[in-house]
């Protein structure tokens, strides 16, 4: 990851979009990864690297598995834009204050700061500025219209929700160890994925703040 940051101007999201992932879904299949590694000159332990990235062992890797902080920043920004401006087109019009059809870095940082994203504005701009041109166009943000980030990326930790989930699992299974083996780690790989956790919550009848419970438990 350090070598990718150096090559792509310090941005793992930019590296992800440029080299590895489908630019629309921000996900990657194993053949894409192997091809990208070859292009980057990485030929050793490629399969081992894939296993480390594919944390939920489902055959694909999403942005948050590669760069959680970058994915979270992007997902929260996208949520804010759609709640307030409905689409990338309308959002870009708001960002492009002088109407010249592009937004330079300083203009974007100022606008993002006004929206409350001053701490992640640099990460966001780099994610959109694929060519490292120092400016972005509407097309650079269009993927947000189609990207479907997982719910926990925009959630806040909810300890009360986590405790409710734990109580329901304990009531159903008698012990936490049994709950882990039967409901949370069904494939026996010693880790619980988001999909496994969501299914376990559904199994015990918990449907409230599942993303918040996940964030609180940080499984």
């Amino acid at each position: 990851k350090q070598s990718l940051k150096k090559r792509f101007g310090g941005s793992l999201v930019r590296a992800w979009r440029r080299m590895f992932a489908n630019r629309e879904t921000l996900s990657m299949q194993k053949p894409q990864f192997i091809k990208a590694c070859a292009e980057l000159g990485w030929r050793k332990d490629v399969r081992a690297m894939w296993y480390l990235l594919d944390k939920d062992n489902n055959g694909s890797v999403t942005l948050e598995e590669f760069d959680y902080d970058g994915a979270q920043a992007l997902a929260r920004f996208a949520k804010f834009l759609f709640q307030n401006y409905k689409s990338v087109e309308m959002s870009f019009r708001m960002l492009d204050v002088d109407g010249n059809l592009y937004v330079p870095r300083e203009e974007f940082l100022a606008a993002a700061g006004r929206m409350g994203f001053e701490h992640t504005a640099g990460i966001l701009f780099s994610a959109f500025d694929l060519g490292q041109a120092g400016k972005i166009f509407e097309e650079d943000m269009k993927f947000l219209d189609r990207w479907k980030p997982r719910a926990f990326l925009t959630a806040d930790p909810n300890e009360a929700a986590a405790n409710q989930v734990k109580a329901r699992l304990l009531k159903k299974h008698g012990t936490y160890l049994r709950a882990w083996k039967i409901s949370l780690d069904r494939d026996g790989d010693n880790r619980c994925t988001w999909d496994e956790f969501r299914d376990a919550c559904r199994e015990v009848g918990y449907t409230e703040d599942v993303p918040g419970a996940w964030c609180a438990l940080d499984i």
Side-chain angles (χ1 to χ4, degrees):
K1 288 185 178 180
Q2 291 305 315
S3 65
L4 285 172
K5 280 187 174 182
K6 184 176 181 179
R7 179 166 178 167
F8 292 99
S11 174
L12 286 176
V13 179
R14 179 188 288 141
W16 182 253
R17 294 186 65 204
R18 285 271 301 274
M19 292 301 301
F20 296 106
N22 179 309
R23 291 189 184 181
E24 304 298 328
T25 65
L26 297 192
S27 63
M28 171 183 61
Q29 306 300 315
K30 190 173 183 179
Q32 290 173 274
F33 178 71
I34 293 173
K35 180 181 178 182
C37 286
E39 291 175 0
L40 290 165
W42 300 344
R43 302 189 183 279
K44 293 184 178 180
D45 300 324
V46 171
R47 296 184 186 280
M49 283 193 290
W50 171 262
Y51 177 76
L52 290 173
L53 288 172
D54 186 14
K55 294 180 175 64
D56 56 10
N57 198 31
N58 70 349
S60 67
V61 174
T62 54
L63 175 59
E64 66 268 16
E65 291 177 295
F66 181 73
D67 177 18
Y68 186 88
D69 290 341
Q72 185 179 63
L74 201 58
R76 294 192 172 204
F77 186 64
K79 181 179 180 179
F80 176 88
L81 293 182
F82 292 132
Q83 284 180 338
N84 289 276
Y85 306 105
K86 309 305 179 186
S87 69
V88 166
E89 180 182 2
M90 296 303 296
S91 300
F92 191 82
R93 288 181 185 178
M94 182 278 307
L95 291 168
D96 182 19
V97 293
D98 53 12
N100 60 1
L101 303 182
Y102 69 87
V103 180
R105 177 181 172 83
E106 292 307 316
E107 195 173 301
F108 179 88
L109 296 185
R114 290 193 296 271
M115 297 176 193
F117 293 91
E118 62 272 12
H119 298 302
T120 57
I123 294 173
L124 294 167
F125 183 82
S126 296
F128 298 130
D129 181 21
L130 287 186
Q132 296 177 248
K135 57 185 176 182
I136 60 175
F137 299 86
E138 182 182 333
E139 188 62 31
D140 296 323
M141 297 176 61
K142 273 291 187 182
F143 73 94
L144 293 180
D145 278 329
R146 295 172 289 276
W147 182 41
K148 304 296 182 186
R150 292 178 176 179
F152 59 80
L153 286 172
T154 56
D156 293 316
N158 186 333
E159 293 291 344
N163 288 334
Q164 288 180 51
V165 172
K166 290 167 66 177
R168 290 187 182 221
L169 286 168
L170 188 61
K171 181 178 180 180
K172 179 177 178 64
H173 296 289
T175 68
Y176 288 125
L177 180 60
R178 184 176 173 82
W180 175 262
K181 289 183 176 181
I182 295 176
S183 291
L184 295 170
D185 180 26
R186 293 187 175 182
D187 57 5
D189 64 353
N190 292 319
R191 53 190 178 186
C192 177
T193 67
W194 162 248
D195 289 336
E196 287 174 322
F197 181 77
R198 185 184 55 193
D199 290 346
C201 288
R202 188 181 299 119
E203 182 182 273
V204 297
Y206 182 80
T207 58
E208 296 173 38
D209 189 9
V210 176
W214 168 267
C215 292
L217 291 169
D218 194 25
I219 292 179

